[in-house]
Amino acid sequence: LEGPQNHPGAKPFHVVSPVLESLPLSKAVGTKVFMKLENVQPSGSFKIRGIGHLCQDAARKGCRHFVCSSGNPPRAGGMLLRNLGIRCGVPQPCSDKGQSLGCEGCVLSPYCPLSPQVWDDANSRAQELVKTEGWVSIHPFDHPLVWEGHASLVRELKDSLEAKPGAVVVAVGGGGLLAGVVAGLHQVGWQDVPIIAAETHGAHSFHEALKAGRLVTLPDITSVAKCLGAKTVAARALECARECRVISQVVEDTEAVRAVERFLDDERMLVQPACGAALAVLYSGRLQRLQSEGRLPAPLASVVVVVCGGSNIHTAQLRALKSQLGME
């Protein structure tokens, strides 16, 4: 162990993120839209809530070496592990971001040059490290403490909003955020609030599981939204669909990227395509379609969209994605 011996039972690593009304999004859907801005977390995404909570618990029990495969480290991992005084991953810096945050090891990620481009493959490598090095694996989405950490997001919504929202829009990758939102809705007595679960085509493992009534493994992740790239969602995600009203929506990559670009113009914030999937539900008219089909009430009191993250995107990458998708 190198670095400061900070007390692992201290306050959470995440901040209380802002809840702001978006006039452009409200105009687009004809309903008041509030943004829960998880992209302003110190790590750049919501994942610091759940992964931070799990890491703190493990550190409190004596763990001193972590490895985590996820779509949003190394930034989150570098910050968490620096604050806990714990090394992570492999003994090489994974990126300039990781180095700038004092991360001496590497958090395996689809965005890390040492890792595969699909989360499942990155996770396989993480499990190999755990066996060979004796480190503790921190699962990025399939763990009760991760869900418990993410549930804090909904408790903050309860404190910020004057009234219960009519619906919550979230992006789904492995299902950790969905599980946390469902846990939080139960905690605050909002379990009747519908959840719109957004995925991109080619990373739509939750949608396929809902359709089949069982877990389904996609043959490959073909979407550009790599942070949604879990071939199989957590079993808990399917349980959530039985406990709350979860409406699955699958958008195309082009819709997600177009939503990212429009959101940048509307709100002056650059987010990644995974977040664009949730925004696309609002920009594309899908929410109004759900209302016209009777699957959502009309009118709605308000809608909350979880702006889940933007740590793995920059303007050059946005241009490259548009070119790749033939959008220019």
Side-chain angles (χ1 to χ4, degrees):
L1 171 65
E2 300 175 16
Q5 298 290 314
N6 293 329
H7 190 269
K11 66 179 183 179
F13 294 127
H14 68 267
V15 300
V16 176
S17 61
V19 179
L20 301 179
E21 182 180 354
S22 170
L23 295 179
L25 283 169
S26 298
K27 184 178 179 181
V29 300
T31 298
K32 185 177 289 190
V33 175
F34 292 101
M35 307 174 293
K36 181 61 169 166
L37 296 176
E38 290 298 289
N39 57 315
V40 305
Q41 289 292 348
S43 66
S45 91
F46 74 95
K47 290 193 175 186
I48 193 173
R49 292 180 183 270
I51 293 177
H53 185 52
L54 177 54
C55 284
Q56 281 186 309
D57 181 78
R60 196 178 299 120
K61 294 173 180 174
C63 172
R64 288 296 175 265
H65 291 83
F66 294 150
V67 60
C68 179
S69 53
S70 179
N72 270 305
R75 189 171 174 185
M79 193 199 75
L80 287 171
L81 280 300
R82 180 195 62 189
N83 288 343
L84 286 169
I86 294 172
R87 290 187 62 233
C88 59
V90 299
Q92 300 178 47
C94 60
S95 70
D96 292 339
K97 280 186 179 180
Q99 283 183 298
S100 68
L101 287 158
C103 182
E104 298 176 2
C106 171
V107 179
L108 293 180
S109 158
Y111 287 89
C112 172
L114 297 174
S115 301
Q117 292 298 304
V118 175
W119 174 82
D120 302 77
D121 299 333
N123 191 52
S124 295
R125 289 189 59 183
Q127 300 315 308
E128 290 172 13
L129 259 181
V130 170
K131 287 188 290 186
T132 58
E133 302 290 345
W135 292 357
V136 172
S137 176
I138 299 295
H139 202 288
F141 59 80
D142 196 3
H143 195 287
L145 289 178
V146 171
W147 312 330
E148 184 179 298
H150 294 335
S152 60
L153 183 156
V154 180
R155 295 195 295 271
E156 291 172 17
L157 281 175
K158 179 70 159 40
D159 292 337
S160 300
L161 297 176
E162 294 181 357
K164 180 172 65 175
V168 177
V169 185
V170 301
V172 175
L177 177 58
L178 174 63
V181 167
V182 167
L185 290 175
H186 280 283
Q187 289 170 12
V188 303
W190 286 358
Q191 58 267 27
D192 58 333
V193 173
I195 301 169
I196 303 172
E199 298 170 283
T200 49
H201 185 78
H204 57 302
S205 53
F206 177 64
H207 181 81
E208 290 300 306
L210 273 185
K211 191 165 64 173
R214 56 177 175 78
L215 293 181
V216 172
T217 299
L218 299 179
D220 198 8
I221 299 297
T222 58
S223 170
V224 300
K226 298 301 181 185
C227 284
L228 300 184
K231 294 180 185 177
T232 313
V233 294
R236 176 63 189 147
L238 274 183
E239 294 174 4
C240 288
R242 291 191 286 268
E243 294 176 12
C244 285
R245 190 173 176 206
V246 180
I247 303 170
S248 172
Q249 292 289 285
V250 178
V251 305
E252 297 299 324
D253 277 347
T254 51
E255 293 178 293
V257 172
R258 194 174 295 118
V260 167
E261 188 172 41
R262 187 168 171 184
F263 190 69
L264 177 60
D265 287 340
D266 285 345
E267 299 294 344
R268 299 164 303 285
M269 288 183 282
L270 180 59
V271 296
Q272 55 211 48
C275 181
L279 295 170
V281 169
L282 304 180
Y283 281 132
S284 67
R286 280 175 168 78
L287 187 134
Q288 294 98 314
R289 194 178 313 150
L290 290 171
Q291 289 179 298
S292 66
E293 294 169 353
R295 300 175 67 190
L296 280 178
L300 286 167
S302 66
V303 175
V304 171
V305 58
V306 179
V307 182
C308 55
S311 62
N312 289 321
I313 187 72
H314 45 73
T315 52
Q317 185 182 359
L318 177 58
R319 288 193 297 271
L321 287 172
K322 289 179 64 181
S323 177
Q324 176 185 340
L325 295 169
M327 297 172 63
E328 292 184 330

